[in-house]
Amino acid sequence: MRRGQAFGKTTRTALAVSLAASGVLALAATPAQAAPKPKKKCYTGQWVTTGLTAKITGKSAQTGYTQNVTYKGMAGIKLKLDPKKGLVYNFTGSKRETFAGVNVDGKRVEGWEQLKGVLYLPAKITGDRKGVITSRNKQARGPATGTGMNIKPERASWGTWKVADHAKIGHFDTPVVKKATFTCVPGKKLVVKDVRKWDTFTETLVMNLKPVKKKKS
């Protein structure tokens, strides 16, 4: 038995007896109320992408040409957000991303990228219905992999890579956020926007998600 508990109980009992003896009504102690559970954040839980769009633009300092390439697709990515743990992506079963536009050599480009597997992306998430996701990309981990291919100007495979390895060095595969803003409509939709820059280029990502409905038992 902890001494603090024994002392507290004895003191309260003696006080009640003293008050009763002096004719003062002794009131029973009211049990302490349990602290209310923190309100669930709007974004917390499991979501799935209905699709995304992204655009990379910028003038190359080496070639003088302006790159303008548009990316779209990747519906079906399952994304779990937690205010303490960050993000968990499950790319398995999601659609390909396709891209088309003009590259830094002034040539027409087309191709695709496909991701699969799970990526754990620790992050700081602030806000509720509106807020900011700041990824701790150097802590990215998980077995998720990517493959891709150029179709134009000539066919060329990109091989296979680990998505976490890309994130760690600041090479973000399209749906993997760096420092994004979001807006959330409870139970209806989540929109994530990430604008990232490097050298003379800017990539603007908009990712639309809907909540995953729990199956009725």
Side-chain angles (χ1 to χ4, degrees):
M1 179 182 291
R2 289 181 294 171
R3 287 181 297 182
Q5 288 180 323
F7 176 80
K9 182 176 180 181
T10 302
T11 302
R12 286 196 299 273
T13 303
L15 179 59
V17 172
S18 174
L19 290 172
S22 62
V24 179
L25 179 62
L27 300 176
T30 303
Q33 293 183 344
K37 291 184 178 180
K39 182 182 176 182
K40 182 180 177 182
K41 301 289 188 182
C42 178
Y43 61 81
T44 302
Q46 190 80 43
W47 301 81
V48 61
T49 58
T50 57
L52 61 77
T53 59
K55 181 172 283 190
I56 298 179
T57 59
K59 186 174 182 180
S60 170
Q62 284 73 37
T63 67
Y65 287 100
T66 296
Q67 174 170 299
N68 192 339
V69 180
T70 299
Y71 300 74
K72 60 183 180 179
M74 289 194 170
I77 298 171
K78 293 178 281 294
L79 178 61
K80 184 177 182 180
L81 290 90
D82 183 277
K84 293 183 179 179
K85 297 180 181 179
L87 293 76
V88 179
Y89 292 83
N90 187 344
F91 301 112
T92 300
S94 62
K95 303 295 184 182
R96 280 182 176 180
E97 169 187 76
T98 59
F99 63 87
V102 178
N103 69 8
V104 293
D105 294 321
K107 296 180 179 179
R108 176 73 182 179
V109 293
E110 292 182 16
W112 57 266
E113 179 181 3
Q114 178 79 64
L115 304 179
K116 65 179 182 179
V118 176
L119 172 72
Y120 300 93
L121 185 67
K124 178 182 179 182
I125 307 177
T126 59
D128 187 353
R129 296 192 182 189
K130 291 184 178 181
V132 178
I133 302 169
T134 305
S135 71
R136 299 185 172 97
N137 58 292
K138 291 185 179 180
Q139 298 176 24
R141 58 189 176 84
T145 58
T147 56
M149 174 175 282
N150 282 346
I151 297 174
K152 291 182 178 180
E154 61 273 330
R155 298 180 69 87
S157 172
W158 300 351
T160 301
W161 64 90
K162 290 196 69 173
V163 180
D165 289 347
H166 271 187
K168 286 177 181 177
I169 62 173
H171 181 116
F172 296 90
D173 289 288
T174 310
V176 181
V177 297
K178 181 181 181 182
K179 186 172 184 178
T181 58
F182 68 85
T183 56
C184 177
V185 178
K188 292 186 177 181
K189 68 177 181 178
L190 178 68
V191 180
V192 177
K193 183 176 181 180
D194 194 10
V195 179
R196 45 225 190 191
K197 299 183 178 184
W198 68 97
D199 297 332
T200 57
F201 302 98
T202 299
E203 179 180 11
T204 302
L205 162 70
V206 178
M207 187 160 51
N208 297 287
L209 305 101
K210 64 180 182 180
V212 174
K213 301 294 184 182
K214 292 184 178 179
K215 294 181 180 180
K216 295 181 179 180
S217 56

